[in-house]
Amino acid sequence: MNARVQTRRIGRMGWVLLALVVIAAGLFGLWRWALANNAVALLDWGDRQFGGNSGYVLALQDGNYGPLAAQRVEVIAPSTPSEQPRPVVAFIHGGGWHSGTPGDYRFVGRTLAREGYVVVLIGYRLGPEGRFPAMLEDSALAIKWTRDNIGKYGGDPDRVVLMGHSAGAYNAVMLALERQWLGRVGVEDHFIKGVIGLSGPYDFYPWTSDSARNAFGHVADPAVTQPIHFARGDAPHMLLLTGDADDTVKPRNSRALAAALSAAGAPTRPVVLTGVDHAGTVMKLAAPFSRDRRVLEPVLAFLAAQCRPSAPVQPGGG
């Protein structure tokens, strides 16, 4: 081959590779900016482009579990039929208790639906209307709706795991630990089979952020807002996953709650991911970032362990 032609080809390849690197870096930076500014819808858009549109169905869009505009749910289910009802993940979005919608987080539903789970995306009141305890009251009502309705979408109401990111992880963990919230709406104890908290605040008083002050600053006794004070030995099993580079919700929150649960008799170990920040724990559930499976693999392992079908009762076995 002519050396000059070969040199030109190598040069063109170099420019192509450089362009691909620049584009990839730009997309990565754009998504990081989007997550930092709660523009999660952009991350969802990217997941559709890179992850495709197969393997799931949007079974319910803009459903409601209450009369208020924020009391919304969406359901994403596997597209393949199943003779048996499927396990359910009820996902509560983050956003500092002041932003976010269920539809922004459809990428979570798509990713888990492809793995065989029916996913309920939960919305709740935000901002001044959503101050403590409104976010918990709404989340509890959404879980009641899930119990009563998920069978219509192929889900198994006897195998429901709660999951949330950031503020949503707080909601999920509080529902699981402090019995009063689900009890008030008639959801029986032990209904929740497990909880996955991604980068959640569980021991964050005194308040150090405007988000926390706006959501909880009016409460006379701050202790009643802190999940760590409700750790109990018979709590649902929990996967507390965080990143050691999280400057928004310190990893100490997950470590402290895990220690409190273990001391109460519910052995728990946090999963702390090296080099992952606050946004990273949810970002790795969206394509193309889900290729890094450090979030998805422990999530799927936990779900598989908590969502095993109950063994059928044998005749004469009681």
Side-chain angles (χ1 to χ4, degrees):
M1 181 183 294
N2 184 286
R4 183 175 298 176
V5 172
Q6 186 175 8
T7 301
R8 288 175 181 172
R9 287 184 178 178
I10 293 173
R12 284 198 295 268
M13 289 175 61
W15 281 110
V16 169
L17 288 174
L18 179 61
L20 290 174
V21 169
V22 171
I23 291 170
L27 287 172
F28 183 80
L30 183 61
W31 273 309
R32 303 293 287 199
W33 173 88
L35 286 172
N37 291 275
N38 292 314
V40 189
L42 184 58
L43 182 65
D44 187 64
W45 174 86
D47 180 75
R48 291 197 309 273
Q49 309 310 308
F50 289 97
N53 293 309
S54 62
Y56 71 93
V57 293
L58 181 57
L60 176 66
Q61 182 176 358
D62 291 330
N64 63 286
Y65 62 85
L68 302 178
Q71 294 172 328
R72 313 294 292 178
V73 289
E74 295 196 351
V75 177
I76 296 179
S79 57
T80 55
S82 173
E83 294 182 359
Q84 301 297 324
R86 299 179 185 272
V88 178
V89 178
F91 180 84
I92 308 175
H93 68 78
W97 303 285
H98 59 74
S99 64
T101 69
D104 291 344
Y105 290 80
R106 288 178 185 164
F107 63 92
V108 175
R110 287 191 288 269
T111 296
L112 295 180
R114 291 188 181 107
E115 299 291 342
Y117 295 90
V118 176
V119 182
V120 182
L121 303 174
I122 292 172
Y124 50 98
R125 281 173 287 173
L126 301 169
E129 294 78 20
R131 298 193 307 167
F132 181 89
M135 77 282 277
L136 299 179
E137 294 168 342
D138 284 3
S139 297
L141 278 174
I143 298 305
K144 179 180 184 295
W145 181 94
T146 299
R147 182 197 66 182
D148 296 343
N149 294 278
I150 201 60
K152 302 173 187 176
Y153 306 99
D156 186 349
D158 291 326
R159 292 188 289 163
V160 176
V161 169
L162 289 188
M163 182 177 180
H165 175 250
S166 192
Y170 167 88
N171 294 11
V173 167
M174 276 294 279
L175 291 189
L177 290 180
E178 192 183 3
R179 290 185 172 95
Q180 69 159 313
W181 305 113
L182 291 176
R184 287 182 181 186
V185 297
V187 174
E188 58 275 12
D189 206 14
H190 304 302
F191 171 74
I192 300 303
K193 298 303 184 286
V195 180
I196 300 171
L198 306 178
S199 305
Y202 315 119
D203 180 24
F204 56 103
Y205 181 78
W207 328 123
T208 59
S209 69
D210 289 340
S211 294
R213 282 187 285 269
N214 292 337
F216 303 99
H218 62 288
V219 180
D221 180 9
V224 304
T225 70
Q226 300 297 288
I228 195 168
H229 296 309
F230 299 96
R232 51 188 174 89
D234 61 344
H237 292 295
M238 294 195 183
L239 170 62
L240 303 176
L241 196 153
T242 187
D244 67 358
D246 191 339
D247 293 326
T248 302
V249 176
K250 300 293 185 181
R252 181 194 62 79
N253 282 263
S254 294
R255 293 191 178 103
L257 180 57
L261 288 166
S262 296
T268 308
R269 181 180 62 86
V271 176
V272 183
L273 302 178
T274 302
V276 175
D277 62 11
H278 188 67
T281 53
V282 72
M283 187 173 73
K284 292 184 190 302
L285 295 175
F289 307 111
S290 54
R291 293 173 184 171
D292 179 347
R293 296 178 64 86
R294 287 184 294 161
V295 173
L296 188 56
E297 285 186 355
V299 164
L300 293 178
F302 181 85
L303 289 173
Q306 306 309 316
C307 293
R308 293 190 182 98
S310 299
V313 177
Q314 299 298 322

